């Protein structure tokens, strides 16, 4: 979606009746994704069990308690280390362990302790399961215990692998075949595969069908996310996209509810799958998104959807597809795409996310957060059922806790900004992880509360990262960045189940906390590290190695010998990798975010100066127009200063000098032709002697002198003249060169109209206003007025010298390819339409100065509004609302001389930005950074 998307929503409403219906229908189905992602927590649970025995039991003994059946013993069963003694009707006495059984050689009387000989047998008669809580699970159905336990542990990771693959495949298919078809297919697939899982006949068919279910579930989620954001306007997009996650969370609550009511796994699975039925029955009514239709050039279909939207939203005059296309075309032709656009004129690859140090650092940070967020999200969710207490209530609460967290995330993002919301919640979740490790295992309630707090904080961070990633990257690699981040997220979700299984492999940290002297714990290498830095959560490599123990076993690795060595290496590596990456993460988020509004010569050069003076800043240029559609593109670009009456001359001179020096260096470099900068000699002629014989800039331009008598012969109507060499910028090439430099410095470019500077306060620390004439409306500056200028661009390569009439009204400025003929100065006129009479007048005036121009070819007429003021506004200001402050630096009002002083005012503005940064760091607003 480009700028056109906002035009569409401005016309049809950002979240009208139509969008509400489409939104709630689509997100309702997102619930089923939450259901299937978490269904295994009850379906694949392993109840208490012991080895089966041959024959009928006559009595059962467990420590001092006896019973006539094993069912009565389960309530006494406390540890998997215990065994149960059974006496059979034939008199045999068996000791039943979890994965083996022993027959006592002497079976005279039934006692729990036995010192005599016994023969050990494998569990060839199957297993006896405690069915007081779950009548049947897939573990009990296919005996996924003991040497088949690893099969049970692979159920959730294989599902998550399906999620990973589904997201990639269906994301791509949705771009090719359309969102609507993928939504139909994946929601029908969820129903069909969901029911099919309940009828699988063995473990392998169960895993395969669930893998397919995972693919369609994640496919649905990814495409539904895109689908709803393509239907919702920017004003409602943050809330709408965040709350897709809320419906996923409701799915988790449904799992808890159904798990509580139904205790047979396949009935439970059928009930869960039926939840998707209402949507499957009506999803065929959902329309395709107009943006996908436009991208496929299906204009009539797109218009039909727009008309339907208009009818539902009661809009009488909907916008036309042709209007959207023209804007898109403009954006595409400039190679620049809007804020939410996913297309690009050039194919980019993953290496573009590492194209320079700043972007690479950002990518690593973002990936880290995606991975950590997803890992944390699933670890907290999946492990909630094994925390003790009521597992159904635990899971329900772990889902419910997510609902307020998206509301808080939306509000906090708006009030504090993305980064200031993300950092505290990430740190909080890490601290909670550390805390949980030290809570004694008996303190169930405390552990559950800490788990919920952890889920809440990671939920805020995880929910936000989608949107934040999209905003952190330049448009051209944005979808790539979100896609790669989401891939890291899937990796986190594949790893998460292993982390949860660690509970049975690795001794609980809380127990270590209670059984050992705290000083010893802190003295231990691994734990000291955990206390010392919160990166334990994100980068606990040792944990990961432990988590992978089941896999090591699976592959037959000699775990005991290698584990200690690997653990040591991992612990050391983790310490520095974790600390380093965490610092990067904090540093990245702590670098001040500066928004520069405006992409004319002033905005681009100011942004470039900021990247140079403050390399740690993250700079974004936001503008509703870029080259070639700015006033700066119309300008002749000559370095002959205009005088601002209310700006001290020494300041103007300084600005001009800095600009001249900067451009002169470029003109002497290999980049001169690409940047469109060149030296040009010429004359400024006067009909009468000028007021000042020497302008203030005469010692800055080269070879300034009075014109000779011989030279003046060329201008018979003029009596006096000055000759000098100055610089000229060919405007569009220079603007493109500035953009290129900015991108190389890691700055981002967004096509965005800023209605009010305050709207940027939540996303940026400092705003720089370089909106040119746009500042009239943006900051309500009544001192700013337009001075309309019309120029002609002609092809006349024989004209090599510039000629300027001393009044500045008529001029001939030869550029590298074209000659600019000017001009007009119409104060207060806002008209951007070329005037034919003025065109003739300009041409005649120029021909009277340089008659050879009669032979000029290929005339192009351009109009621009000079953003004029009595003085240029380069100034600091602090906006304040409800106690929140936003530092602003203004740099606009350059009138007829923007090119002549752009670098000088940019340097001054960049210094003001530095001052703002120092003020922010030193003041109570430090937290903002
Ligand atoms: P602009 O180029 O207008 O840039 C403003 C930017 O802000 C644009 O990108 C715009 O889209 C953006 N913007 C505005 N409002 C918003 C908003 N609300 N949200 C987001 N973005 C917004 N100067 C010289 O030094 N030498 C010359 O020879 C010369 N010749 C000229 C000839 C003509 C005919 C004209 C018209 C001007 C000439 N000038 C010349 C003056 C020079 O062009 C201007 O001083 C200079 O272009 C001003 O640059 P700017 O970046 O402030 O404004």
């Amino acid at each position: 979606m480009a700028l056109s998307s906002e035009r569409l929503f401005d016309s049809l409403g950002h979240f009208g009746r139509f969008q509400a219906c489409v939104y709630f229908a689509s997100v309702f189905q997102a619930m089923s994704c939450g259901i299937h992602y978490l269904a295994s927590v009850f379906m694949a649970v392993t109840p208490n069990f012991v080895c089966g025995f041959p024959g009928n039991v006559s009595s059962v003994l467990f420590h001092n308690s006896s019973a006539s059946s094993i069912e009565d013993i389960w309530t006494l069963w406390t540890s998997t280390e215990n065994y149960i003694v059974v006496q059979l009707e034939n008199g045999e006495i068996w000791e039943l362990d979890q994965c083996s059984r022993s027959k006592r050689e002497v079976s005279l009387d039934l006692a729990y302790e036995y010192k005599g000989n016994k023969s050990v047998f494998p569990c060839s008669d199957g297993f006896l399961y405690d069915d007081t809580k779950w009548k049947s699970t897939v573990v009990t159905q296919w005996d996924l215990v003991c040497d088949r336990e690893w099969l049970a542990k692979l159920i959730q990771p294989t599902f998550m692998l399906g999620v990973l693959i589904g997201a990639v495949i269906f994301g791509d298919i949705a771009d090719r075949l359309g969102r609507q078809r993928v939504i139909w297919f994946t929601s029908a697939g969820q129903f069909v595969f969901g029911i099919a899982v309940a009828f699988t006949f063995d473990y392998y068919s169960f895993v395969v069908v669930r893998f397919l279910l995972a693919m369609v579930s994640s496919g649905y989620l990814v495409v539904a996310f895109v689908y709803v954001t393509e239907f919702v306007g920017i004003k409602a997009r943050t809330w709408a996209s965040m709350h897709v996650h809320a419906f996923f969370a409701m799915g988790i609550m449904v799992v808890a509810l159904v798990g509580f009511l139904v205790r047979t796994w396949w009935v439970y699975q059928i009930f869960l799958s039926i939840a998707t039925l209402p949507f499957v029955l009506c999803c065929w009514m959902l329309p395709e998104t107009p943006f996908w239709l436009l991208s496929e050039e299906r204009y009539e279909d797109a218009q039909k959807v727009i008309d339907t939207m208009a009818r539902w939203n009661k809009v009488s005059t909907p916008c036309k597809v042709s209007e959207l296309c023209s804007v898109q075309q403009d954006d595409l032709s400039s190679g620049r795409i809007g804020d939410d656009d996913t297309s690009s004129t050039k194919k980019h690859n993953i290496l573009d996310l590492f194209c320079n140090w700043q972007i690479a650092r950002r990518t690593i940070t973002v990936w880290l957060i995606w991975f950590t967020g997803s890992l944390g999200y699933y670890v907290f969710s999946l492990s909630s059922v094994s925390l003790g207490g009521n597992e159904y209530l635990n899971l329900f609460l772990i889902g419910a806790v997510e609902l307020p967290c998206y509301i808080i995330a939306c509000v906090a993002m708006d009030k504090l900004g993305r980064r200031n919301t993300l950092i505290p919640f990430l740190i909080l979740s890490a601290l909670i992880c550390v805390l949980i490790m030290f809570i004694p295992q008996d303190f169930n309630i405390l552990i559950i509360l800490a788990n919920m707090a952890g889920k809440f904080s990671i939920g805020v961070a995880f929910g936000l990262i989608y949107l934040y990633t999209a905003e952190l990257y330049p448009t051209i690699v944005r979808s790539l960045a979100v896609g790669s981040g989401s891939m890291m997220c899937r990796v986190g979700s594949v790893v998460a189940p292993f982390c949860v299984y660690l509970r049975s492999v690795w001794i609980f940290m809380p127990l270590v906390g209670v059984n050992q002297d705290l000083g010893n714990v802190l003295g231990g290498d691994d734990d000291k590290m955990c206390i010392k830095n919160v990166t334990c959560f994100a980068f606990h490599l040792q944990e990961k190695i432990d988590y992978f123990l089941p896999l090591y076993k699976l592959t037959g690795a000699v775990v005991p010998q290698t584990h200690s060595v690997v653990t040591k290496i991992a612990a050391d590596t983790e310490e520095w990798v974790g600390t380093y990456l965490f610092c990067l993460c904090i540093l990245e988020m702590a670098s001040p975010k500066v928004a520069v509004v405006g992409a004319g010569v002033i905005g681009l050069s100011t942004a470039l100066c900021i990247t140079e003076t403050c390399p740690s800043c993250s700079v974004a240029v936001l503008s509703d127009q870029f080259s070639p559609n700015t006033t700066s593109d119309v300008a002749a670009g000559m370095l002959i200063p205009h005088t601002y009456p209310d700006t001290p001359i020494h300041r103007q001179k300084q600005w001009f000098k800095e600009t001249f020096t900067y451009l002169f260096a470029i003109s002497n470099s290999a980049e001169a032709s690409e940047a469109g900068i060149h030296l040009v000699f010429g004359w400024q002629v006067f009909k009468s002697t000028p007021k000042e014989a020497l302008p203030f800039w005469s010692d800055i331009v080269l070879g300034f002198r009075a014109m000779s008598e011989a030279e003046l012969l060329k201008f018979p109507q003029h009596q006096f003249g000055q000759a000098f060499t100055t610089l000229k910028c060919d405007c569009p090439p220079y603007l493109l060169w500035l953009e290129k430099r900015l991108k190389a410095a890691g700055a981002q470019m967004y096509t965005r109209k800023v209605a009010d500077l305050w709207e940027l306060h939540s996303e940026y620390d400092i705003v720089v206003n370089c909106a040119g004439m746009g500042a009239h409306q943006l900051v309500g500056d009544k001192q700013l007025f337009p001075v309309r200028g019309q120029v002609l661009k002609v092809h006349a390569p024989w004209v090599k010298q510039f000629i300027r009439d001393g009044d500045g009204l008529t001029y001939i400025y030869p550029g590298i390819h074209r000659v600019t003929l000017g001009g007009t100065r119409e104060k207060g006129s806002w008209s951007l339409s070329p005037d034919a009479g003025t065109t003739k007048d300009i041409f005649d005036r120029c021909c009277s100065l340089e008659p050879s121009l009669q032979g000029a070819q290929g005339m192009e007429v351009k109009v621009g509004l000079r953003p004029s003021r009595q003085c240029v506004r380069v100034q600091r200001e602090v906006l304040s609302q409800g106690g929140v402050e936003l530092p602003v630096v203004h740099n606009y009002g350059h009138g007829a001389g923007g090119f002549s002083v752009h670098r000088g005012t940019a340097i001054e503005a960049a210094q003001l930005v530095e001052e703002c940064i120092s003020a922010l760091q030193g003041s109570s607003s430090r937290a903002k950074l």
Side-chain angles (χ1 to χ4, degrees):
M1 272 182 287
L3 178 64
S4 52
S5 70
E6 298 328 318
R7 183 174 285 195
L8 175 76
F9 297 122
D10 285 344
S11 138
L12 296 178
H14 287 244
F15 196 75
R17 203 153 65 104
F18 178 88
Q19 284 108 320
C21 293
V22 165
Y23 178 76
F24 286 111
S26 322
V27 294
F28 171 80
Q29 183 71 350
M31 233 168 42
S32 73
C33 302
I35 289 175
H36 293 304
Y37 278 40
L38 270 291
S40 72
V41 290
F42 295 133
M43 194 163 43
V45 81
T46 305
N48 292 329
F49 68 94
V50 286
C51 224
F53 49 84
N56 295 328
V57 66
S58 64
S59 51
V60 187
L61 197 62
F62 183 71
H63 292 289
N64 298 328
S65 309
S66 62
S68 55
S69 76
I70 291 216
E71 281 71 36
D72 302 328
I73 294 295
W74 290 126
T75 47
L76 307 170
W77 176 275
T78 47
S79 155
T80 53
E81 304 299 314
N82 290 313
Y83 59 90
I84 295 174
V85 181
V86 291
Q87 184 159 37
L88 304 186
E89 284 174 353
N90 63 9
E92 288 175 0
I93 297 179
W94 289 79
E95 286 178 15
L96 306 178
D97 280 300
Q98 283 218 303
C99 298
S100 66
R101 56 190 178 164
S102 342
K103 189 173 137 196
R104 292 180 182 174
E105 297 296 328
V106 182
S107 50
L108 290 177
D109 45 50
L110 185 61
Y112 194 71
E113 302 296 341
Y114 171 74
K115 299 259 184 300
N117 293 339
K118 48 190 176 184
S119 321
V120 180
F121 296 94
C123 302
S124 46
D125 290 304
F127 298 87
L128 297 170
Y129 296 99
D130 173 4
D131 63 358
T132 44
K133 267 192 195 155
W134 292 281
K135 291 275 167 265
S136 103
T137 71
V138 289
V139 172
T140 66
Q141 173 106 24
W142 293 305
D143 287 337
L144 305 179
V145 290
C146 298
D147 56 347
R148 284 164 58 85
E149 185 191 358
W150 61 273
L151 293 174
K153 291 195 186 313
L154 281 184
I155 289 175
Q156 191 64 8
T158 46
F159 184 89
M160 288 302 183
L161 203 65
V163 167
L164 192 155
I165 295 171
V168 176
I169 292 181
F170 285 106
D172 187 53
I173 296 178
D175 282 342
R176 291 168 198 271
L177 299 184
R179 284 77 167 108
Q180 183 201 38
R181 284 183 208 177
V182 172
I183 280 182
W184 287 357
F185 179 80
T186 51
S187 47
Q190 282 193 79
F191 179 70
V192 172
F193 292 129
I195 298 285
V197 166
F199 294 97
T200 47
F201 45 89
D202 64 4
Y203 170 80
Y204 298 101
S205 59
F206 171 81
V207 167
V208 169
V209 178
R210 262 183 52 95
F211 184 83
L212 298 174
L213 176 62
M215 282 178 64
V216 289
S217 282
S218 77
Y220 182 85
L221 202 59
V222 166
V223 177
F225 198 86
V226 175
Y227 185 74
V228 296
T229 49
E230 286 185 356
F231 267 116
V232 176
I234 192 151
K235 289 187 186 155
R237 204 171 293 147
T238 306
W239 279 84
S241 59
M242 285 292 272
H243 284 85
V244 176
H245 303 294
F247 283 84
F248 184 94
M250 283 186 208
I252 301 180
M253 293 157 72
V254 171
V255 171
L257 209 65
V258 175
F260 175 71
L261 297 172
V262 184
R263 307 294 174 90
T264 302
W265 77 266
W266 58 271
V267 184
Y268 160 88
Q269 175 65 25
I270 290 177
F271 270 91
L272 290 179
S273 306
I274 283 176
T276 64
L277 195 55
F279 181 78
V280 175
L281 294 178
C282 68
C283 70
W284 57 271
M285 288 192 276
L286 289 178
E288 185 50 85
T289 73
F291 300 102
W292 185 81
L293 292 170
L294 284 180
S295 70
E296 293 294 300
E297 298 178 0
R298 287 169 54 185
Y299 303 118
E300 277 178 26
D301 293 336
Q303 188 62 57
K304 275 185 206 153
V305 177
I306 291 170
D307 293 343
T308 312
M309 286 173 80
R311 259 199 322 279
W312 279 59
N313 290 356
K314 298 196 179 357
V315 174
S316 47
T317 46
C319 63
K320 294 283 164 233
V321 155
S322 51
E323 295 171 36
L324 304 180
C325 292
S326 66
V327 179
Q328 264 181 344
Q329 204 49 50
D330 280 358
D331 285 343
L332 285 174
S333 60
S334 65
R336 203 173 296 98
I337 307 155
D339 239 10
D340 309 305
D341 215 310
T342 49
S343 62
S344 165
T345 46
K346 173 183 173 255
K347 285 262 174 245
H348 289 269
N349 61 42
I350 200 94
L351 293 179
D352 291 315
L353 299 180
F354 295 89
C355 62
N356 64 39
W357 166 234
Q358 199 181 2
I359 295 275
R361 204 178 60 168
R362 180 164 304 165
T363 302
I364 294 170
T365 310
V366 165
W367 281 7
L368 175 61
I369 298 171
W370 275 96
F371 176 81
T372 309
S374 154
L375 184 72
Y377 183 91
Y378 286 106
V379 166
F380 282 124
S381 303
L382 294 171
S383 64
S384 62
V385 290
S386 43
L387 295 177
N390 184 318
E391 50 273 83
Y392 307 105
L393 184 63
N394 291 355
L395 188 70
F396 188 85
L397 292 177
I398 217 78
V401 80
E402 268 188 66
L403 304 183
C405 89
Y406 298 122
I407 297 171
I408 287 179
C410 282
V411 175
M413 276 193 318
D414 198 33
K415 297 263 177 259
L416 306 171
R418 275 70 168 138
R419 204 188 47 203
N420 297 338
T421 308
L422 187 61
I423 296 177
F425 281 102
L426 267 184
I427 293 179
L428 186 66
S429 58
L431 290 176
I432 291 170
C433 279
V434 175
L435 183 77
I436 288 175
M437 291 193 277
F438 287 94
I439 301 178
Q441 207 191 351
D442 303 340
F443 290 32
N444 276 350
I445 307 258
L446 213 57
I447 295 180
I448 293 166
L449 285 177
N451 211 55
M452 283 175 62
K455 173 75 183 296
F456 177 84
S457 38
I458 204 73
V460 174
F462 192 36
L464 188 151
I465 191 67
Y466 264 92
L467 212 65
Y468 196 22
T469 307
E471 291 171 356
L472 275 174
Y473 284 86
T475 312
I476 47 168
V477 291
R478 186 172 302 145
S479 51
L480 196 67
V482 176
S484 70
S486 138
M487 185 73 88
M488 291 311 290
C489 157
R490 310 291 160 215
V491 174
S493 58
V494 173
V495 174
F498 290 112
C499 303
V500 177
Y501 299 146
L502 176 72
R503 286 177 176 279
S504 59
V505 179
W506 195 30
I507 296 167
F508 274 118
M509 209 54 168
L511 284 181
V512 178
V514 273
N515 292 340
Q516 293 183 26
D517 168 51
L518 189 64
N520 291 343
V521 173
L522 297 185
D525 276 357
D526 302 337
D527 305 325
K528 183 170 63 188
M529 191 165 66
C530 284
I531 295 297
K532 197 169 67 186
N533 76 54
V534 284
T535 57
C536 289
F537 180 55
F539 275 90
H540 208 300
L541 294 185
Q542 182 192 341
E543 276 189 1
K544 279 180 218 148
I545 286 183
D546 283 331
Y547 298 161
F548 280 107
L549 271 174
L551 270 188
Y552 288 179
K553 283 181 181 165
L554 194 77
T555 52
V558 194
V559 175
Q561 287 88 330
T562 53
H563 185 228
S564 59
V565 180
V566 176
T567 302
K568 178 77 187 82
I569 297 167
D572 293 346
T573 315
E574 180 208 357
E575 183 153 21
W576 72 262
V577 171
T579 309
Y580 175 69
L581 284 174
F582 188 74
C583 290
L584 267 187
C585 180
I586 295 299
L587 269 177
E588 165 63 25
M589 289 189 282
S591 59
K593 287 192 82 183
V594 182
V596 177
V597 180
V601 68
I602 303 300
L604 296 179
S605 56
T606 305
L608 190 58
C609 273
I610 297 170
T611 62
E612 287 162 7
T613 53
C614 175
S616 67
C617 285
S618 161
V619 179
V621 176
L622 319 178
S623 188
D624 58 347
Q625 297 292 346
F626 284 78
S627 180
N629 299 320
T630 68
T631 306
S632 303
D633 289 280
V634 176
M638 279 295 277
L639 261 69
I640 302 179
H642 159 84
T643 307
Y644 307 100
D646 290 353
T647 304
I649 287 294
H650 68 87
R651 201 170 167 205
Q652 295 188 46
K653 188 169 180 180
Q654 178 69 16
W655 290 342
F656 181 59
K657 189 173 180 185
E658 278 163 348
T659 308
F660 195 91
T661 312
Y662 179 71
L663 293 184
F664 187 56
I666 299 175
S667 75
N668 284 333
S669 74
E671 301 205 28
S673 100
E674 189 194 345
I677 310 290
H678 63 112
L679 282 165
V680 54
F681 167 80
W683 305 284
Q684 176 161 240
V685 290
F686 299 84
K687 292 197 169 111
S688 57
T689 317
K691 274 184 246 151
E692 308 155 305
L694 281 181
F696 71 82
W697 41 266
S698 59
D699 56 346
I700 297 171
V701 295
L702 308 179
F704 186 92
R705 61 178 169 81
M707 279 170 73
S708 67
E709 292 288 321
E711 281 172 317
L712 274 171
L713 290 178
K714 183 172 166 57
F715 307 100
Q717 294 165 4
H718 295 77
Q719 297 178 357
F720 182 80
Q722 296 155 343
F724 55 91
T725 299
T726 189
L727 287 151
K728 182 177 179 313
C729 306
D730 269 14
C731 300
Y734 182 55
L735 296 179
L736 291 178
W737 181 82
L738 285 173
E739 277 190 29
K740 190 176 151 190
R741 293 284 302 259
L742 266 173
K743 283 177 194 158
Q748 298 154 39
M749 310 278 174
Y750 297 114
T751 303
R752 170 169 170 181
K753 183 169 177 72
V754 180
D756 180 351
L757 292 183
W758 188 254
E759 80 184 43
L760 303 173
H761 86 278
S762 58
E763 298 160 66
Y764 299 94
D765 299 304
I766 299 161
V767 173
V768 186
N769 171 17
C770 302
M773 209 48 239
H776 188 264
Q777 203 184 355
L778 188 59
V779 292
D781 186 345
K782 299 284 174 280
Q783 295 180 41
L784 186 69
F785 55 92
V787 175
R788 183 180 181 276
Q790 182 165 324
V791 286
L792 322 178
K793 309 259 174 176
V794 297
H795 190 67
W798 59 89
V799 178
K800 300 287 182 210
Q801 288 84 27
F802 75 83
I803 304 169
R804 182 178 195 261
D805 197 311
D807 59 9
L809 201 61
T810 308
Y811 50 80
I812 300 162
Y813 293 149
I816 296 174
H817 303 292
R818 319 259 277 160
V819 182
T820 306
L821 311 182
T824 56
R825 281 195 205 136
E826 294 161 67
K827 194 173 164 184
S829 168
W830 289 87
S831 168
L832 282 170
S833 312
D835 178 80
T838 311
T839 301
K840 184 173 178 320
D841 179 46
I842 293 172
F843 191 67
D844 291 346
R845 278 188 274 132
C846 290
C847 285
S848 72
L849 281 175
E850 177 55 69
S852 72
L853 280 173
Q854 296 286 0
Q857 302 276 315
M859 182 187 296
E860 209 185 334
V861 186
K862 298 261 184 189
V863 178
L865 304 180
R866 301 177 180 95
S868 306
R869 266 177 128 252
Q870 291 296 98
C871 62
V872 182
R873 189 174 183 200
V874 187
Q875 194 184 31
R876 243 177 93 184
E877 189 190 11
V878 178
L879 303 183
S880 166
Q881 267 185 34
V884 183
E885 294 189 339
L886 176 67
V888 172
V889 173
H890 298 284
N891 186 13
Y892 67 86
H894 296 71
F899 275 88
S900 309
V901 293
H902 72 275
R903 178 72 188 181
T905 56
I907 292 173
E908 201 171 306
Q911 281 161 358
L912 295 180
V913 168
E914 270 195 306
E915 285 174 22
C916 292
I917 294 169
S918 312
L920 277 175
Q921 282 165 344
S923 76
S924 56
S925 309
R926 182 190 297 260
K928 253 207 127 191
L929 293 178

